[in-house]
Each structure stands twice: as C-alpha cells, then as structure tokens.
PDB file of all heavy atoms in Angstrom:
ATOM      1  N   GLY A  16       0.783  -1.232   0.020  1.00 91.00           N
ATOM      2  CA  GLY A  16      -0.017  -0.003   0.015  1.00 91.00           C
ATOM      3  C   GLY A  16       0.800   1.268   0.018  1.00 91.00           C
ATOM      4  O   GLY A  16       0.380   2.291   0.579  1.00 91.00           O
ATOM      5  N   ILE A  17       1.968   1.309  -0.658  1.00 96.00           N
ATOM      6  CA  ILE A  17       2.742   2.525  -0.726  1.00 96.00           C
ATOM      7  C   ILE A  17       2.153   3.462  -1.793  1.00 96.00           C
ATOM      8  O   ILE A  17       1.737   3.009  -2.845  1.00 96.00           O
ATOM      9  CB  ILE A  17       4.215   2.216  -1.035  1.00 96.00           C
ATOM     10  CG1 ILE A  17       4.820   1.375   0.078  1.00 96.00           C
ATOM     11  CG2 ILE A  17       5.025   3.490  -1.199  1.00 96.00           C
ATOM     12  CD1 ILE A  17       6.300   1.034  -0.080  1.00 96.00           C
ATOM     13  N   ARG A  18       2.126   4.746  -1.458  1.00 97.00           N
ATOM     14  CA  ARG A  18       1.573   5.735  -2.371  1.00 97.00           C
ATOM     15  C   ARG A  18       2.643   6.707  -2.794  1.00 97.00           C
ATOM     16  O   ARG A  18       3.656   6.872  -2.108  1.00 97.00           O
ATOM     17  CB  ARG A  18       0.432   6.471  -1.652  1.00 97.00           C
ATOM     18  CG  ARG A  18      -0.723   5.566  -1.277  1.00 97.00           C
ATOM     19  CD  ARG A  18      -1.793   6.293  -0.456  1.00 97.00           C
ATOM     20  NE  ARG A  18      -2.845   5.385  -0.020  1.00 97.00           N
ATOM     21  CZ  ARG A  18      -3.844   5.730   0.727  1.00 97.00           C
ATOM     22  NH1 ARG A  18      -4.008   6.982   1.123  1.00 97.00           N
ATOM     23  NH2 ARG A  18      -4.762   4.834   1.093  1.00 97.00           N
ATOM     24  N   VAL A  19       2.409   7.376  -3.933  1.00 97.00           N
ATOM     25  CA  VAL A  19       3.359   8.342  -4.470  1.00 97.00           C
ATOM     26  C   VAL A  19       2.632   9.603  -4.874  1.00 97.00           C
ATOM     27  O   VAL A  19       1.528   9.561  -5.431  1.00 97.00           O
ATOM     28  CB  VAL A  19       4.180   7.757  -5.632  1.00 97.00           C
ATOM     29  CG1 VAL A  19       3.264   7.356  -6.794  1.00 97.00           C
ATOM     30  CG2 VAL A  19       5.254   8.737  -6.094  1.00 97.00           C
ATOM     31  N   ILE A  20       3.276  10.754  -4.589  1.00 97.00           N
ATOM     32  CA  ILE A  20       2.798  12.028  -5.094  1.00 97.00           C
ATOM     33  C   ILE A  20       3.823  12.517  -6.126  1.00 97.00           C
ATOM     34  O   ILE A  20       4.966  12.797  -5.734  1.00 97.00           O
ATOM     35  CB  ILE A  20       2.650  13.024  -3.932  1.00 97.00           C
ATOM     36  CG1 ILE A  20       1.679  12.507  -2.882  1.00 97.00           C
ATOM     37  CG2 ILE A  20       2.141  14.392  -4.479  1.00 97.00           C
ATOM     38  CD1 ILE A  20       1.524  13.396  -1.677  1.00 97.00           C
ATOM     39  N   PRO A  21       3.452  12.607  -7.394  1.00 96.00           N
ATOM     40  CA  PRO A  21       4.375  13.067  -8.413  1.00 96.00           C
ATOM     41  C   PRO A  21       4.570  14.584  -8.329  1.00 96.00           C
ATOM     42  O   PRO A  21       3.650  15.300  -7.965  1.00 96.00           O
ATOM     43  CB  PRO A  21       3.765  12.642  -9.737  1.00 96.00           C
ATOM     44  CG  PRO A  21       2.587  11.797  -9.369  1.00 96.00           C
ATOM     45  CD  PRO A  21       2.200  12.173  -7.988  1.00 96.00           C
ATOM     46  N   GLY A  22       5.769  15.047  -8.737  1.00 93.00           N
ATOM     47  CA  GLY A  22       5.964  16.459  -8.780  1.00 93.00           C
ATOM     48  C   GLY A  22       7.142  16.839  -9.640  1.00 93.00           C
ATOM     49  O   GLY A  22       8.034  16.060  -9.922  1.00 93.00           O
ATOM     50  N   THR A  23       7.141  18.122 -10.048  1.00 93.00           N
ATOM     51  CA  THR A  23       8.250  18.719 -10.741  1.00 93.00           C
ATOM     52  C   THR A  23       8.684  19.906  -9.942  1.00 93.00           C
ATOM     53  O   THR A  23       7.927  20.889  -9.783  1.00 93.00           O
ATOM     54  CB  THR A  23       7.842  19.170 -12.187  1.00 93.00           C
ATOM     55  OG1 THR A  23       7.338  18.043 -12.894  1.00 93.00           O
ATOM     56  CG2 THR A  23       9.005  19.770 -12.922  1.00 93.00           C
ATOM     57  N   PHE A  24       9.911  19.834  -9.369  1.00 94.00           N
ATOM     58  CA  PHE A  24      10.333  20.914  -8.456  1.00 94.00           C
ATOM     59  C   PHE A  24      11.844  21.169  -8.583  1.00 94.00           C
ATOM     60  O   PHE A  24      12.480  21.589  -7.635  1.00 94.00           O
ATOM     61  CB  PHE A  24       9.971  20.537  -7.018  1.00 94.00           C
ATOM     62  CG  PHE A  24      10.332  19.127  -6.601  1.00 94.00           C
ATOM     63  CD1 PHE A  24      11.496  18.874  -5.940  1.00 94.00           C
ATOM     64  CD2 PHE A  24       9.451  18.068  -6.880  1.00 94.00           C
ATOM     65  CE1 PHE A  24      11.854  17.552  -5.550  1.00 94.00           C
ATOM     66  CE2 PHE A  24       9.771  16.798  -6.500  1.00 94.00           C
ATOM     67  CZ  PHE A  24      10.995  16.516  -5.843  1.00 94.00           C
ATOM     68  N   GLY A  25      12.397  20.900  -9.756  1.00 93.00           N
ATOM     69  CA  GLY A  25      13.787  21.193  -9.963  1.00 93.00           C
ATOM     70  C   GLY A  25      14.714  20.294  -9.168  1.00 93.00           C
ATOM     71  O   GLY A  25      15.771  20.756  -8.701  1.00 93.00           O
ATOM     72  N   TRP A  26      14.335  19.042  -9.033  1.00 94.00           N
ATOM     73  CA  TRP A  26      15.146  18.074  -8.213  1.00 94.00           C
ATOM     74  C   TRP A  26      16.359  17.656  -9.034  1.00 94.00           C
ATOM     75  O   TRP A  26      16.262  17.366 -10.240  1.00 94.00           O
ATOM     76  CB  TRP A  26      14.273  16.853  -7.899  1.00 94.00           C
ATOM     77  CG  TRP A  26      14.957  15.746  -7.175  1.00 94.00           C
ATOM     78  CD1 TRP A  26      15.146  15.670  -5.818  1.00 94.00           C
ATOM     79  CD2 TRP A  26      15.523  14.537  -7.724  1.00 94.00           C
ATOM     80  NE1 TRP A  26      15.776  14.469  -5.507  1.00 94.00           N
ATOM     81  CE2 TRP A  26      16.014  13.769  -6.667  1.00 94.00           C
ATOM     82  CE3 TRP A  26      15.613  14.053  -9.033  1.00 94.00           C
ATOM     83  CZ2 TRP A  26      16.606  12.535  -6.843  1.00 94.00           C
ATOM     84  CZ3 TRP A  26      16.217  12.816  -9.221  1.00 94.00           C
ATOM     85  CH2 TRP A  26      16.692  12.058  -8.146  1.00 94.00           C
ATOM     86  N   ASN A  27      17.527  17.648  -8.377  1.00 91.00           N
ATOM     87  CA  ASN A  27      18.732  17.198  -9.040  1.00 91.00           C
ATOM     88  C   ASN A  27      19.532  16.382  -8.017  1.00 91.00           C
ATOM     89  O   ASN A  27      19.853  16.834  -6.897  1.00 91.00           O
ATOM     90  CB  ASN A  27      19.575  18.405  -9.466  1.00 91.00           C
ATOM     91  CG  ASN A  27      20.743  18.010 -10.375  1.00 91.00           C
ATOM     92  OD1 ASN A  27      21.511  17.088 -10.028  1.00 91.00           O
ATOM     93  ND2 ASN A  27      20.893  18.709 -11.503  1.00 91.00           N
ATOM     94  N   ASP A  28      19.796  15.130  -8.363  1.00 89.00           N
ATOM     95  CA  ASP A  28      20.480  14.221  -7.469  1.00 89.00           C
ATOM     96  C   ASP A  28      21.978  14.575  -7.276  1.00 89.00           C
ATOM     97  O   ASP A  28      22.630  14.062  -6.414  1.00 89.00           O
ATOM     98  CB  ASP A  28      20.380  12.816  -8.070  1.00 89.00           C
ATOM     99  CG  ASP A  28      21.043  11.741  -7.179  1.00 89.00           C
ATOM    100  OD1 ASP A  28      20.742  11.769  -5.949  1.00 89.00           O
ATOM    101  OD2 ASP A  28      21.802  10.941  -7.683  1.00 89.00           O
ATOM    102  N   VAL A  29      22.470  15.477  -8.094  1.00 89.00           N
ATOM    103  CA  VAL A  29      23.928  15.891  -8.064  1.00 89.00           C
ATOM    104  C   VAL A  29      24.766  14.616  -8.122  1.00 89.00           C
ATOM    105  O   VAL A  29      25.647  14.404  -7.254  1.00 89.00           O
ATOM    106  CB  VAL A  29      24.230  16.773  -6.862  1.00 89.00           C
ATOM    107  CG1 VAL A  29      25.551  17.512  -7.112  1.00 89.00           C
ATOM    108  CG2 VAL A  29      23.130  17.780  -6.581  1.00 89.00           C
ATOM    109  N   GLY A  30      24.494  13.773  -9.114  1.00 85.00           N
ATOM    110  CA  GLY A  30      25.139  12.498  -9.124  1.00 85.00           C
ATOM    111  C   GLY A  30      26.531  12.510  -9.742  1.00 85.00           C
ATOM    112  O   GLY A  30      27.244  11.514  -9.698  1.00 85.00           O
ATOM    113  N   SER A  31      26.965  13.607 -10.304  1.00 90.00           N
ATOM    114  CA  SER A  31      28.302  13.711 -10.878  1.00 90.00           C
ATOM    115  C   SER A  31      28.588  15.192 -11.118  1.00 90.00           C
ATOM    116  O   SER A  31      27.711  16.067 -11.018  1.00 90.00           O
ATOM    117  CB  SER A  31      28.423  12.926 -12.186  1.00 90.00           C
ATOM    118  OG  SER A  31      27.769  13.624 -13.236  1.00 90.00           O
ATOM    119  N   TRP A  32      29.838  15.482 -11.552  1.00 93.00           N
ATOM    120  CA  TRP A  32      30.207  16.836 -11.870  1.00 93.00           C
ATOM    121  C   TRP A  32      29.417  17.359 -13.049  1.00 93.00           C
ATOM    122  O   TRP A  32      29.281  18.577 -13.232  1.00 93.00           O
ATOM    123  CB  TRP A  32      31.706  16.908 -12.148  1.00 93.00           C
ATOM    124  CG  TRP A  32      32.528  16.837 -10.899  1.00 93.00           C
ATOM    125  CD1 TRP A  32      33.307  15.811 -10.475  1.00 93.00           C
ATOM    126  CD2 TRP A  32      32.615  17.848  -9.872  1.00 93.00           C
ATOM    127  NE1 TRP A  32      33.917  16.103  -9.293  1.00 93.00           N
ATOM    128  CE2 TRP A  32      33.496  17.349  -8.880  1.00 93.00           C
ATOM    129  CE3 TRP A  32      32.056  19.120  -9.690  1.00 93.00           C
ATOM    130  CZ2 TRP A  32      33.810  18.059  -7.731  1.00 93.00           C
ATOM    131  CZ3 TRP A  32      32.382  19.824  -8.525  1.00 93.00           C
ATOM    132  CH2 TRP A  32      33.251  19.318  -7.593  1.00 93.00           C
ATOM    133  N   ALA A  33      28.924  16.467 -13.855  1.00 92.00           N
ATOM    134  CA  ALA A  33      28.112  16.908 -15.039  1.00 92.00           C
ATOM    135  C   ALA A  33      26.816  17.588 -14.621  1.00 92.00           C
ATOM    136  O   ALA A  33      26.176  18.229 -15.432  1.00 92.00           O
ATOM    137  CB  ALA A  33      27.852  15.714 -15.956  1.00 92.00           C
ATOM    138  N   ALA A  34      26.400  17.454 -13.358  1.00 90.00           N
ATOM    139  CA  ALA A  34      25.183  18.091 -12.902  1.00 90.00           C
ATOM    140  C   ALA A  34      25.361  19.539 -12.542  1.00 90.00           C
ATOM    141  O   ALA A  34      24.383  20.272 -12.357  1.00 90.00           O
ATOM    142  CB  ALA A  34      24.683  17.353 -11.628  1.00 90.00           C
ATOM    143  N   LEU A  35      26.597  20.050 -12.486  1.00 92.00           N
ATOM    144  CA  LEU A  35      26.787  21.403 -12.028  1.00 92.00           C
ATOM    145  C   LEU A  35      26.088  22.453 -12.864  1.00 92.00           C
ATOM    146  O   LEU A  35      25.573  23.443 -12.309  1.00 92.00           O
ATOM    147  CB  LEU A  35      28.310  21.708 -11.952  1.00 92.00           C
ATOM    148  CG  LEU A  35      28.746  22.676 -10.839  1.00 92.00           C
ATOM    149  CD1 LEU A  35      28.354  22.162  -9.483  1.00 92.00           C
ATOM    150  CD2 LEU A  35      30.254  22.946 -10.918  1.00 92.00           C
ATOM    151  N   PRO A  36      26.011  22.340 -14.202  1.00 91.00           N
ATOM    152  CA  PRO A  36      25.297  23.373 -14.973  1.00 91.00           C
ATOM    153  C   PRO A  36      23.821  23.488 -14.609  1.00 91.00           C
ATOM    154  O   PRO A  36      23.208  24.534 -14.908  1.00 91.00           O
ATOM    155  CB  PRO A  36      25.471  22.897 -16.430  1.00 91.00           C
ATOM    156  CG  PRO A  36      26.742  22.127 -16.390  1.00 91.00           C
ATOM    157  CD  PRO A  36      26.761  21.416 -15.080  1.00 91.00           C
ATOM    158  N   ALA A  37      23.245  22.473 -13.992  1.00 87.00           N
ATOM    159  CA  ALA A  37      21.857  22.602 -13.554  1.00 87.00           C
ATOM    160  C   ALA A  37      21.709  23.402 -12.231  1.00 87.00           C
ATOM    161  O   ALA A  37      20.637  23.772 -11.857  1.00 87.00           O
ATOM    162  CB  ALA A  37      21.241  21.222 -13.373  1.00 87.00           C
ATOM    163  N   MET A  38      22.861  23.622 -11.577  1.00 89.00           N
ATOM    164  CA  MET A  38      22.860  24.292 -10.282  1.00 89.00           C
ATOM    165  C   MET A  38      23.439  25.699 -10.345  1.00 89.00           C
ATOM    166  O   MET A  38      23.151  26.534  -9.491  1.00 89.00           O
ATOM    167  CB  MET A  38      23.670  23.449  -9.302  1.00 89.00           C
ATOM    168  CG  MET A  38      23.130  22.047  -9.142  1.00 89.00           C
ATOM    169  SD  MET A  38      24.273  21.035  -8.160  1.00 89.00           S
ATOM    170  CE  MET A  38      24.196  21.861  -6.589  1.00 89.00           C
ATOM    171  N   ARG A  39      24.246  25.988 -11.328  1.00 90.00           N
ATOM    172  CA  ARG A  39      24.852  27.279 -11.478  1.00 90.00           C
ATOM    173  C   ARG A  39      24.683  27.789 -12.936  1.00 90.00           C
ATOM    174  O   ARG A  39      24.707  26.933 -13.857  1.00 90.00           O
ATOM    175  CB  ARG A  39      26.384  27.214 -11.185  1.00 90.00           C
ATOM    176  CG  ARG A  39      26.667  27.026  -9.729  1.00 90.00           C
ATOM    177  CD  ARG A  39      28.186  26.969  -9.518  1.00 90.00           C
ATOM    178  NE  ARG A  39      28.538  26.860  -8.080  1.00 90.00           N
ATOM    179  CZ  ARG A  39      28.942  27.906  -7.337  1.00 90.00           C
ATOM    180  NH1 ARG A  39      28.976  29.098  -7.884  1.00 90.00           N
ATOM    181  NH2 ARG A  39      29.219  27.752  -6.081  1.00 90.00           N
ATOM    182  N   PRO A  40      24.506  29.055 -13.134  1.00 89.00           N
ATOM    183  CA  PRO A  40      24.292  29.532 -14.508  1.00 89.00           C
ATOM    184  C   PRO A  40      25.500  29.314 -15.398  1.00 89.00           C
ATOM    185  O   PRO A  40      26.652  29.555 -14.977  1.00 89.00           O
ATOM    186  CB  PRO A  40      24.035  31.064 -14.292  1.00 89.00           C
ATOM    187  CG  PRO A  40      24.568  31.371 -12.943  1.00 89.00           C
ATOM    188  CD  PRO A  40      24.448  30.128 -12.155  1.00 89.00           C
TER     189      PRO A  40
END
C-alpha cells in the first residue's frame, strides 16, 4: 500500500560533476 505524489520541483541528485550546470548559471 505505498503511495506516491508526483511532482516537478527542480530536483537534481547531483550524481556527478556533469550536474553542475543545472545548479549554477
């Protein structure tokens, strides 16, 4: 009975250095 609420909120896992452009202009 697990439930989920979907959303779009600018989530970034910061999984590698390639994610930096999503965090800084």
Side-chain angles (χ1 to χ4, degrees):
I17 298 182
R18 299 175 183 177
V19 60
I20 303 177
T23 301
F24 47 96
W26 178 84
N27 191 311
D28 183 49
V29 198
S31 74
W32 285 109
L35 212 60
M38 302 171 63
R39 288 178 176 263

